[in-house]
Amino acid sequence: MTHEPTTRPHPLRWRILGFLGVAQLMLILDVTVVAIALPHIETDLGLGRQAVTWTVSAYTLAFGGLMLLGGRAADLFGAKRVVLAGLLIFTAASLATGFADDAGLLLGGRIAQGVGAALLSPSALSLVVGLFDGDERNKALGVWSALGGGGAALGVLVGGLLTAGPGWPWVFFVNVPIGLVIIVALARMLPHQAPPTPRPRLDILGAVLAAASSVALIYALIRAGDDGWLTAAGGWLVLAAGLGYLAFVVRQKTARSPMMDVGLLARRPVATGTFLILMATALMIAVFFLGTFYFQHARDYGALRTGLLFLPVAVATMLGADLTGRAIGRLGARPLAVAGLLVAAIGLALPALVMEPATVAVGTAIAGAGTGALFVVASATALGQVAPHEAGIASGIVSTFHEFGASAGAAVISSVAAASLVSDTLSGFTDGFVLAAVAAAAGALVAAVLTPGMPKQAVA
């Protein structure tokens, strides 16, 4: 079991949440911070186009593909051990990546960062679920989601500052002192966790099938953003992922010590949470992608100016998440899920109606508030009623669908907005905002039907 139920809450739980939240913020920042620094990395290391693409994709694939394994490891070996191991790997990999002087070292470091992140993210979320209960858990998930949801927008500003200042290696080096401080703090503060007795064995074949299938699907979505949707390679990758997941389900039915109870995905709260986290992340990526490319490509703003324009998005995302975490215990998940999606739809519709810098800035901030709310509802719904011994794998499921949403959102939006990325027309950006607004409105209808009503008391 990952969390032993206690009658008294841990006295340092809010301080622990702060350190875990900053650790999660590092992982989310690492996508957008690097994206802003890519032109400088490309020039300094003499990278080709494929190597530049893989600098982002290698991290995303390792991160998304291994999160189910990270979540299961938290259940088997204790979330504290897995969090500290993930942090150590991520921090060491960040140091190595900052010193990279060729494409091989850069990509190797990015893959290692993704492995560390995959161990850290679901086990940290599992700890948050275990350290808090009831209404406190909802508030804690609000803080967690605020940091994670605002991270992508903050990354644009941080990446611009570091790249323009000390140089691109510092987008990696900055993780090192922060990571070391968090490792020392969490090692002292986190409670000792005895692993389950007898300890189940890790289902290696199941882990390989889940990881390989997730990597294939995420890579298919990444390729779709570059090459279009109707390609033979993309089709084969999706087919391979589907067959891999089918084999994974069969394996879980027959394994002596399965990675997960596949029936977990069929539970209404978990199914709702995965749908909402998918929508939240896809819409967040749409806001980030369309906003940054509009400001930088159509308006020719620099990275730093674009980053400053995304500060309201980060603040609105954090505010939406925090307010939702405080309100969900009173109002329930359903009205807040519907409201979050409708607010996002309204925000995304503004730039579609009037494509001007002011409306894009205001609209993306409004949409950020809606997606911030969705992150909290998704986590609270999916994880609010799981048993302690399922907290790790359930967190892994939520984290995996987070990556699916990011990859799918980037692939769809980049395809729809392609016309504006290669020419001076604004029609691609308009089409992208229209599609995102319609998707958010349609998602609100689905959420109204799918989301459970007022939550029951969480399982202790």
Side-chain angles (χ1 to χ4, degrees), residues 281-307:
T281 316
L283 293 173
M284 182 189 73
I285 290 296
V287 166
F288 166 72
F289 186 95
L290 292 170
T292 53
F293 272 98
Y294 169 75
F295 289 131
Q296 290 186 300
H297 184 82
R299 295 292 170 179
D300 201 27
Y301 293 171
L304 186 55
R305 186 177 181 184
T306 299

Side-chain angles (χ1 to χ4, degrees), residues 371-413:
T371 58
L374 280 184
F375 281 118
V376 180
V377 179
S379 300
T381 305
L383 304 174
Q385 299 180 48
V386 296
H389 68 277
E390 297 173 319
I393 193 65
S395 300
I397 292 170
V398 170
S399 300
T400 300
F401 274 84
H402 184 284
E403 290 306 303
F404 286 160
S407 301
V412 172
I413 290 298

Side-chain angles (χ1 to χ4, degrees), residues 72-424:
R72 180 57 174 160
D75 287 335
L76 289 183
F77 309 117
K80 177 179 180 178
R81 291 184 180 89
V82 181
V83 159
L84 294 177
L87 259 172
L88 190 60
I89 293 170
F90 181 83
T91 304
S94 296
L95 182 64
T97 310
F99 282 118
D101 56 4
D102 60 37
L105 291 174
L106 181 71
L107 296 181
R110 291 293 282 163
I111 292 169
Q113 279 188 305
V115 172
L119 292 173
L120 171 58
S121 186
S123 51
L125 183 53
S126 171
L127 279 169
V128 173
V129 173
L131 286 168
F132 298 89
D133 198 16
D135 197 43
E136 267 201 350
R137 180 185 288 176
N138 293 329
K139 291 177 183 176
L141 287 172
V143 174
W144 174 268
S145 301
L147 290 170
L154 282 175
V156 184
L157 176 60
V158 174
L161 287 170
L162 291 173
T163 304
W168 69 260
W170 282 92
V171 304
F172 303 110
F173 288 152
V174 73
N175 295 327
V176 178
I178 297 172
L180 290 175
V181 169
I182 297 173
I183 288 170
V184 172
L186 291 180
R188 291 169 60 92
M189 288 191 295
L190 284 173
H192 174 72
Q193 297 168 319
T197 306
R199 180 186 293 174
R201 297 178 61 187
L202 181 63
D203 176 19
I204 300 297
L205 179 57
V208 170
L209 287 170
S213 303
S214 297
V215 166
L217 183 55
I218 293 170
Y219 185 45
L221 293 168
I222 291 171
R223 282 187 63 114
D226 293 331
D227 306 332
W229 289 91
L230 301 177
T231 63
W236 283 114
L237 283 167
V238 172
L239 179 61
L243 292 174
Y245 282 126
L246 182 61
F248 173 73
V249 170
V250 172
R251 171 66 182 175
Q252 299 314 288
K253 301 282 189 182
T254 58
R256 184 176 300 177
S257 178
M259 267 190 73
M260 65 178 286
D261 174 10
V262 290
L264 192 64
L265 279 169
R267 296 182 197 172
R268 187 178 178 188
V270 177
T272 302
T274 55
F275 167 73
L276 292 177
I277 202 75
L278 192 80
M279 289 296 300
T281 316
L283 293 173
M284 182 189 73
I285 290 296
V287 166
F288 166 72
F289 186 95
L290 292 170
T292 53
F293 272 98
Y294 169 75
F295 289 131
Q296 290 186 300
H297 184 82
R299 295 292 170 179
D300 201 27
Y301 293 171
L304 186 55
R305 186 177 181 184
T306 299
L308 290 170
L309 286 168
F310 263 75
L311 264 183
V313 180
V315 172
T317 303
M318 293 178 176
L319 188 60
D322 183 58
L323 292 176
T324 303
R326 296 173 186 275
I328 193 169
R330 299 192 311 273
L331 302 178
R334 186 183 299 151
L336 291 172
V338 173
L341 283 160
L342 289 178
V343 168
I346 292 167
L348 290 161
L350 279 179
L353 295 172
V354 182
M355 188 66 65
E356 292 292 337
T359 52
V360 172
V362 172
T364 51
I366 293 171
T371 58
L374 280 184
F375 281 118
V376 180
V377 179
S379 300
T381 305
L383 304 174
Q385 299 180 48
V386 296
H389 68 277
E390 297 173 319
I393 193 65
S395 300
I397 292 170
V398 170
S399 300
T400 300
F401 274 84
H402 184 284
E403 290 306 303
F404 286 160
S407 301
V412 172
I413 290 298
S414 62
S415 298
V416 173
S420 291
L421 302 180
V422 296
S423 67
D424 294 332

